[in-house]
Amino acid sequence: MNAITPADLEPQAPDAQAAAVATLEEDIVFGRLHPRERLTEDELMARFGLKRHAVRQVLAELELLGVVERKRNIGAVVRAYSAREVMELYALRDVLEVHAASLMPLPVAPARLAALVAVQREHDAAVADGDARRVFRSNQRFHRELFGLLDNAVLGQAIEEYARRTHPIRFGSLAAAHYRERARQEHWAMIHALRDGNRAALMTLCREHLLPSRDAYLASEQARRGA
């Protein structure tokens, strides 16, 4: 690992670091950076115009988010999951998200439902335009708004944390137009369940909504091992 020099310690704009984190997160989500791929400090310094200490902070934040891991004698790499880890992670997401759906006050107040609909219309537009970055970010906003309806900050934070940990798993579904369209339709079905007070439908939708990204990743890993 290269040593940090005095020049490296010059202040770096926080916005530049945050932009680097967001860009690398998206690269991982969209499969531009693959599981097990190395992230070298020198390449990231050149790409983002950051000092070495700032790049290390970026990598540390990505590690905290669960999308990057440090390996001895290798450095930072995009997080890869075994089939067992994928199943366990998604089982936990199922517990958290379906439990949230079981507790959500129904039917949802019209004003709060309207806020969720507004976010979903942004997601609709992004899917229609084929803009993967906007699809990803509007999808995040939809789920934050959805589980925010429970008014349980602890559960909401847990759901968001473990959803983020699946970013390296989700590239197979986010990259495909038919998966994005399926997610869009499921979002509207959730909205209708919230409006109608149909808790059973909401819980089922929350469970089934998790499956495409899990199964696409497992299929890609199986194909990689076969190759």
Side-chain angles (χ1 to χ4, degrees):
M1 181 179 290
N2 294 322
I4 294 177
T5 67
D8 288 327
L9 296 175
E10 294 175 5
Q12 200 90 45
D15 288 350
Q17 291 178 209
V21 169
T23 298
L24 291 168
E25 181 184 37
E26 290 170 7
D27 284 350
I28 291 168
V29 168
F30 301 132
R32 294 189 287 265
L33 290 171
H34 302 288
R36 305 174 188 83
E37 186 168 344
R38 284 189 68 200
L39 301 175
T40 66
E41 292 178 2
D42 289 344
E43 289 176 352
L44 296 180
M45 288 169 64
R47 178 180 177 184
F48 295 107
L50 295 173
K51 302 294 185 182
R52 192 172 302 280
H53 77 284
V55 163
R56 290 181 181 175
Q57 289 174 5
V58 167
L59 291 173
E61 185 166 346
L62 290 168
E63 187 175 22
L64 284 174
L65 295 176
V67 298
V68 164
E69 59 183 337
R70 308 289 183 104
K71 287 186 172 289
R72 189 179 182 86
N73 300 323
I74 296 176
V77 298
V78 177
R79 179 74 187 267
Y81 289 94
S82 68
R84 178 175 177 175
E85 287 172 327
V86 171
M87 295 300 293
E88 290 174 349
L89 182 53
Y90 272 81
L92 179 56
R93 289 192 65 192
D94 180 291
V95 169
L96 292 171
E97 297 184 24
V98 175
H99 180 60
S102 76
L103 299 177
M104 208 168 284
L106 295 178
V108 174
R112 300 194 73 177
L113 192 63
L116 184 63
V117 167
V119 174
Q120 181 51 37
R121 294 206 184 281
E122 295 177 15
H123 186 254
D124 288 347
V127 171
D129 292 344
D131 187 329
R133 182 180 185 277
R134 283 169 50 215
V135 169
F136 172 53
R137 295 301 179 187
S138 60
N139 180 72
Q140 283 185 310
R141 289 194 294 275
F142 175 86
H143 287 280
R144 193 175 299 120
E145 191 79 28
L146 170 66
F147 292 113
L149 294 170
L150 184 56
D151 292 324
N152 183 325
V154 173
L155 182 53
Q157 288 168 3
I159 288 171
E160 191 163 351
E161 176 185 347
Y162 284 98
R164 192 182 292 274
R165 289 184 182 276
T166 63
H167 283 354
I169 297 172
R170 298 173 61 195
F171 64 86
S173 56
L174 280 170
H178 68 282
Y179 281 128
R180 296 198 294 264
E181 175 59 22
R182 171 177 168 170
R184 188 191 73 81
Q185 293 180 15
E186 288 176 347
H187 286 182
W188 278 109
M190 291 176 191
I191 289 170
H192 294 154
L194 291 166
R195 180 198 62 197
D196 298 340
N198 189 339
R199 190 175 305 282
L202 180 63
M203 293 170 66
T204 297
L205 285 161
C206 285
R207 174 172 288 116
E208 294 180 349
H209 196 59
L210 296 171
L211 301 180
S213 57
R214 183 200 70 181
D215 294 346
Y217 184 87
L218 291 173
S220 70
E221 282 295 287
Q222 185 175 17
R224 182 187 66 82
R225 290 195 300 274

